[in-house]
């Protein structure tokens, strides 16, 4: 663990010693792919959790009707009670 911490400290010092533009580019090249990877993994994990809990967005959608089918009248959504935040 000390080896990794020492390497990371050296890397931080190297980046901190760079002028602004190269420093910005190094951080950008490193953080953009890592950020996208974290967002992708969180999206997949939360989607699987919500699907397992039955909270999937697409679980309640009906199958697509054929074009020749008649369009039913819209159904009013049930009224949900308003819940306050409790802040005063």
């Amino acid at each position: 663990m000390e080896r990794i911490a020492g390497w990371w400290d050296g890397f931080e010092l190297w980046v901190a010693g760079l002028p602004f533009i190269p420093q910005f580019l190094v951080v950008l090249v490193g953080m953009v792919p890592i950020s996208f990877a974290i967002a992708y993994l969180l999206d997949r994990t939360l989607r699987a959790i919500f699907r397992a809990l039955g909270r999937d967005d697409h679980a309640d959608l009906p199958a697509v009707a054929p074009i020749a089918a008649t369009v039913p009248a819209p159904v009013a959504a049930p009224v949900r009670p308003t819940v306050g935040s409790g802040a005063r």
Side-chain angles (χ1 to χ4, degrees), residues 25-84:
L25 292 175
V26 167
V27 171
L28 190 69
V29 167
M31 290 309 297
V32 168
I34 291 171
S35 297
F36 275 112
I38 290 170
Y40 178 80
L41 291 173
L42 278 174
D43 178 56
R44 294 297 173 179
T45 303
L46 291 174
R47 185 178 298 175
I49 290 170
F50 286 149
R51 191 173 294 140
L53 294 174
R55 301 283 302 214
D56 190 15
D57 287 341
H58 304 292
D60 298 335
L61 295 178
V64 177
I67 295 174
T70 59
V71 178
V75 178
V79 178
R80 295 177 64 187
T82 304
V83 178

